[in-house]
Amino acid sequence: MKLPEIEILDEKDKRLRQISKEVTFPLDKEDKKKIHDMLTYLKMSQIEETREKYNLRAGMGLSYVQIGIPKRIFVIVDEVEENVFENYVLINPKIISNSEELIYVGEGEGCLSINREVEGIVPRYARITVEAFDMEGNAFTIRVREDLSIAFQHEIDHLNGILFIDKIDPKNPYKNAENMREI
Ligand code: ZN
């Protein structure tokens, strides 16, 4: 596997704050290649050998705006068991329903655009249902829970110019933790 050439914007880059635009179909070849590159990059960041070889940080999701293109596209690579990966590509995603239950990542959320430790909890819905389009422009609905639900919400925030650190109160980073379930 060859590491795709992807430059991920850092949190200081104002382009991350853009509101990404709806995508029209069909996708061009360039977009399809970028999507594949992002999926490959994430997978390689999760495999220990390639992560170390290329000095990568492990990441589960990437949105298009993180590579500087404000289009409503994000990808997720989920390692369902050792070295078995499931890919998700969501275009023009919309959350159509959510659980009342809130959860958060106990060890803190991470982001490939944020290269520092950030303490605190980010409230997320435990379960969401999302409507989106695939790479061929077909509409589909997907229901996700737990860590995938968090990853989807994290990426959808990126499409709206929001970073997870925006959701942490620096004066009280563990605010309301008792009302949420840690995962
Ligand atoms: Zn992120």
Side-chain angles (χ1 to χ4, degrees), residues 15-161:
R15 286 176 288 171
L16 278 177
R17 297 308 192 165
Q18 306 171 84
I19 310 282
S20 294
K21 294 202 168 58
E22 295 273 321
V23 174
T24 52
F25 292 98
L27 294 185
D28 58 28
K29 261 172 47 188
E30 190 60 19
D31 278 327
K32 287 186 176 170
K33 182 183 180 302
K34 283 205 174 71
I35 289 168
H36 284 294
D37 281 354
M38 287 162 73
L39 290 167
T40 304
Y41 184 95
L42 289 175
K43 185 176 166 186
M44 289 178 76
S45 83
Q46 291 180 33
I47 298 170
E48 195 181 352
E49 192 190 327
T50 43
R51 178 170 63 245
E52 284 171 4
K53 181 173 173 192
Y54 295 104
N55 193 24
L56 305 174
R57 280 176 60 217
M60 188 176 177
L62 260 180
S63 62
Y64 238 54
V65 72
Q66 286 178 279
I67 60 167
I69 307 165
K71 292 184 180 178
R72 302 190 80 79
I73 301 175
F74 75 79
V75 306
I76 301 273
V77 175
D78 185 27
E79 189 172 20
V80 286
E81 54 184 280
E82 201 174 333
N83 283 321
V84 180
F85 299 92
E86 216 155 289
N87 291 342
Y88 298 87
V89 176
L90 279 88
I91 303 174
N92 299 339
K94 282 191 182 64
I95 297 175
I96 55 167
S97 70
N98 59 264
S99 62
E100 269 188 43
E101 187 189 15
L102 296 173
I103 56 176
Y104 65 94
V105 186
E107 58 197 27
E109 251 175 67
C111 177
L112 290 174
S113 291
I114 296 173
N115 295 296
R116 61 187 169 105
E117 290 291 321
V118 181
E119 215 188 322
I121 58 173
V122 183
R124 301 289 190 187
Y125 301 120
R127 296 166 295 283
I128 54 170
T129 303
V130 179
E131 259 177 19
F133 293 86
D134 66 17
M135 287 171 70
E136 272 64 55
N138 304 306
F140 66 98
T141 302
I142 182 169
R143 187 167 161 77
V144 285
R145 54 179 63 241
E146 304 296 305
D147 54 342
L148 261 188
S149 175
I150 290 178
F152 275 42
Q153 290 168 75
H154 177 115
E155 299 308 329
I156 290 169
D157 276 350
H158 272 302
L159 305 185
N160 295 319

